[in-house]
Amino acid sequence: MKKIICYIALTCIITSLSAQDFKKNISQVQSHYTRGKLQDAHFALQQMMQDLDITIGREVLKLFPLRLDTLSAIPKQEEVFGNTQFTGVTIEKNYGITNKKATLSVVINSPLLNSLNAYITSPLMAGLGSDPNTRIVKVGHYKARLTKEAEEDQYKLEIPMTNALLTLTVLKSNESEILAWAGTLPLEKMASLIQ
């Protein structure tokens, strides 16, 4: 029941933030539908859903930290954009301007989400794709895949959340540092917005 109330409240907030676009999009959908142009109505609905995901993405971006330990966010390198063919929305923020850099991104409706969930939850899948540079770790309440990339001291942490994939990539780092940084992220708040 709480999830339904939260979803309705979130939908109302987002709708009020972009009410004009929403009204324009919904009237466009209705217009296509009443004229029997179902394919156009379907496309307009997809566009409307992507616009809604972008609005949610902007709210999630506000939850990204301004600093990751000593690395400051680069405001000009943060963005929320829709992916091609309506496969989702990407939210991205970059940190650091020297040789030590980090990128934090969330992809809503990521096409990689199902395969990563299968890898993390199934010992058989993990065994088939065993890689000495990859291991399963826990960040808060979430299982994640930590990978040491071939590049020098680059780590990538992938955390599947309900219907989104959070990825933290850090150059010139180590395992304990990336896990400590991931532990400071407001994953629960992000997940509740994205649901």
Side-chain angles (χ1 to χ4, degrees), residues 65-75 93-97 102:
L66 297 175
R67 298 179 67 80
L68 285 175
D69 195 27
T70 60
L71 301 180
S72 295
I74 306 169
K93 191 170 209 163
N94 290 295
Y95 299 84
I97 54 174

Side-chain angles (χ1 to χ4, degrees), residues 135-154:
R135 67 187 198 98
I136 306 301
V137 295
K138 194 145 185 183
V139 178
H141 300 296
Y142 298 92
K143 286 185 177 180
R145 177 170 64 182
L146 178 65
T147 306
K148 182 173 193 251
E149 300 288 334
E151 295 179 29
E152 54 186 86
D153 301 327
Q154 179 172 325

Side-chain angles (χ1 to χ4, degrees), residues 6 27 45 59 77 85 107 109 143-144 147 152 175 194:
C6 289
S27 67
L45 273 173
E59 293 300 310
Q77 293 183 7
Q85 298 182 359
V107 180
N109 297 325
K143 286 185 177 180
T147 306
E152 54 186 86
E175 186 175 316
I194 294 168

Side-chain angles (χ1 to χ4, degrees), residues 10-22 55 59 62:
L10 181 63
T11 303
C12 290
I13 290 169
I14 290 170
T15 302
S16 67
L17 290 174
S18 59
Q20 291 176 341
D21 289 338
F22 185 78
T55 304
E59 293 300 310
K62 292 176 185 175

Side-chain angles (χ1 to χ4, degrees), residues 53-54 57 79-83 88-92 105-108:
D53 281 344
I54 288 172
E79 55 189 336
V80 178
F81 57 91
N83 298 331
V89 169
T90 299
I91 310 150
E92 188 172 280
S105 68
V106 174
V107 180
I108 300 174

Side-chain angles (χ1 to χ4, degrees), residues 28-48:
Q28 189 177 28
V29 169
Q30 288 173 334
S31 171
H32 289 308
Y33 182 77
T34 54
R35 286 187 279 155
K37 295 183 174 183
L38 298 181
Q39 195 167 19
D40 291 341
H42 183 256
F43 180 79
L45 273 173
Q46 285 179 319
Q47 183 63 47
M48 187 176 68

